[in-house]
């Protein structure tokens, strides 16, 4: 498996990760199936898994995905010493909806809960502030993360759904190694809002969430003729072409597609070996602009 450095940390992870969200929301698969997916991902060399305290059905189910991932890791028979689990805090799930909560006291509590769920014996590998809450300053909301780093509860810190200006504010509080923003053929804002360029310039890992357009749009991938044609030419799935296209955009990009089936993660991993020519990248650019 090809690897990439996580920010400037000196830590290398697989060039493609596994997103845990589909295993814990809405029509979640049976637990045994999800664990099989995580185990297969590890078998295939994936060493970066992305989750969040809010990947659950509602507040009564909080931290579901974190617990699932920890269970999968502790039951895995192979070596997990190089696996990095990235979690997030700062979103709430009242009645299954999504809402921001940047209250420092809440974030202190959820960081502690995530730390305990992952075993409580080593720092959370990467903790990300899920989305800036306008009710609190970025400094106030990230102070608990800074404290947690100093206390040995968190190893590295990242942010999600942040603008360049907000990333700069965050870096004044604590070292930021990753940014996780939406990026897909339908949502190319990181190319124009300066975030992708800033991450590349500052050696910050960019984690594109919802790379296939999310639950509403991933079924529309065949409608993008350029992607469908290149997939046919290369004899790979549409998803592999999207991941290869994203990876071609910048060396700082580390895709984290979600999976809830073993076949999905097996297909995802093949994308690491798919390389697009400049002409093919341009063709997709034009088709999705």
């Amino acid at each position: 498996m090809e690897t990439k450095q996580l920010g400037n940390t000196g830590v290398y992870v697989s060039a493609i990760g596994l997103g845990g969200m589909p295993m814990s929301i809405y029509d979640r698969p049976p637990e045994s199936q999800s664990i099989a997916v995580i185990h297969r991902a590890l078998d295939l060399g994936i060493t970066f898994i992305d989750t969040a305290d809010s990947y659950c059905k509602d507040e009564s189910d909080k931290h579901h995905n974190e617990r699932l991932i920890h269970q999968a890791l502790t039951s895995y028979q192979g070596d997990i010493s190089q696996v990095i689990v990235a979690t997030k805090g700062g979103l709430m799930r009242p009645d299954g909806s999504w809402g921001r909560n940047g209250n420092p006291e809440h974030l202190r509590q959820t960081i502690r809960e995530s730390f305990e769920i992952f075993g409580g014996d080593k720092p959370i590998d990467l903790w990300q502030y899920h989305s800036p809450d306008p009710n609190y300053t970025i400094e106030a909301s990230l102070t608990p993360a800074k404290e947690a780093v100093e206390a040995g509860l968190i190893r590295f810190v990242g942010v999600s759904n942040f603008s360049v200006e907000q990333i700069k504010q965050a870096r004044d509080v604590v070292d930021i190694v990753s940014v996780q923003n939406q990026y897909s053929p339908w949502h190319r804002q990181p190319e124009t809002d300066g975030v992708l360029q800033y991450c590349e310039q500052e050696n910050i890992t960019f984690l594109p969430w919802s790379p296939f357009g999310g639950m509403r749009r991933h079924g529309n991938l065949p409608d993008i003729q350029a992607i469908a044609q290149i997939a046919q030419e290369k004899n790979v799935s549409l998803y592999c072409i999207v991941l290869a296209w994203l990876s071609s955009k910048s060396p700082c990009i580390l895709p984290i597609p979600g999976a809830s089936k073993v076949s999905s993660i097996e297909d995802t991993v093949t994308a690491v070996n798919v390389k697009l020519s400049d002409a093919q990248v341009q063709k997709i650019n034009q088709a999705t602009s």
Side-chain angles (χ1 to χ4, degrees):
M1 169 66 74
E2 186 182 325
T3 60
K4 289 189 175 187
Q5 185 176 193
L6 179 64
N8 271 329
T9 63
V11 173
Y12 285 79
V13 295
S14 53
I16 202 157
L18 169 65
M21 188 171 78
M23 304 178 202
S24 293
I25 62 169
Y26 313 122
D27 298 324
R28 65 170 62 151
E31 187 177 276
S32 58
Q33 180 177 319
S34 293
I35 289 174
V37 170
I38 298 166
H39 284 179
R40 185 60 179 142
L42 297 170
D43 289 342
L44 293 167
I46 287 181
T47 57
F48 189 89
I49 303 175
D50 182 76
T51 182
D53 65 355
S54 56
Y55 290 170
C56 56
K57 289 183 177 178
D58 55 38
E59 279 301 302
S60 68
D61 190 44
K62 205 72 176 275
H63 299 281
H64 178 273
N65 198 244
E66 292 178 333
R67 289 190 179 93
L68 182 70
I69 288 167
H70 181 64
Q71 185 180 343
L73 290 174
T74 52
S75 62
Y76 185 63
Q77 297 301 305
D79 179 18
I80 59 167
S81 62
Q82 303 304 308
V83 175
I84 296 292
V85 177
T87 193
K88 295 180 283 295
L91 288 188
M92 308 298 285
R93 298 302 313 280
D95 301 318
S97 63
W98 300 84
R100 303 180 192 188
N101 188 349
N103 183 312
E105 285 311 309
H106 163 70
L107 294 173
R108 284 187 184 94
Q109 179 184 338
T110 198
I111 287 169
R112 170 62 67 174
E113 289 170 355
S114 295
F115 172 75
E116 296 293 345
I117 284 164
F118 288 125
D121 55 356
K122 72 179 187 70
I124 295 167
D125 296 316
L126 172 61
W127 184 88
Q128 305 155 92
Y129 180 29
H130 210 145
S131 191
D133 183 345
N135 295 314
Y136 301 90
T137 65
I138 286 171
E139 180 181 9
S141 295
L142 277 174
T143 293
K146 179 185 180 182
E147 293 168 353
V149 170
E150 292 166 353
L153 273 65
I154 292 173
R155 188 177 180 190
F156 303 122
V157 177
V159 293
S160 182
N161 303 303
F162 268 49
S163 68
V164 172
E165 186 54 41
Q166 289 168 330
I167 298 167
K168 290 177 179 177
Q169 290 176 38
R171 295 179 80 193
D172 286 339
V173 182
V174 65
D175 187 35
I176 299 297
V177 306
S178 65
V179 173
Q180 184 170 158
N181 284 7
Q182 187 175 10
Y183 191 14
S184 74
W186 291 279
H187 188 97
R188 293 176 56 186
Q189 189 176 331
E191 298 174 20
T192 55
D193 64 10
V195 171
L196 190 56
Q197 182 182 1
Y198 181 78
C199 286
E200 185 172 331
Q201 171 190 314
E202 298 296 316
N203 290 319
I204 296 171
T205 296
F206 184 96
L207 306 165
W209 65 262
S210 216
F212 307 133
M215 295 178 73
R216 287 176 299 170
R217 277 184 161 158
H218 80 277
N220 301 127
L221 275 175
D223 298 339
I224 303 177
Q225 215 167 20
I227 292 175
Q229 184 183 344
I230 296 168
Q232 190 173 14
E233 289 170 2
K234 291 187 172 289
N235 196 30
V236 297
S237 74
L238 302 169
Y239 304 109
C240 284
I241 297 301
V242 172
L243 295 173
W245 172 73
L246 283 169
S247 295
S248 75
K249 292 291 185 171
S250 171
C252 73
I253 288 179
L254 197 167
I256 47 168
S260 58
K261 297 178 182 176
V262 167
S263 58
S264 297
I265 198 62
E266 289 175 340
D267 179 63
T268 289
V269 167
T270 63
V272 173
N273 300 317
V274 177
K275 305 301 178 189
L276 302 180
S277 67
D278 291 344
Q280 289 170 328
V281 171
Q282 192 57 34
K283 192 173 183 180
I284 295 172
N285 289 348
Q286 290 170 352
T288 58
S289 60

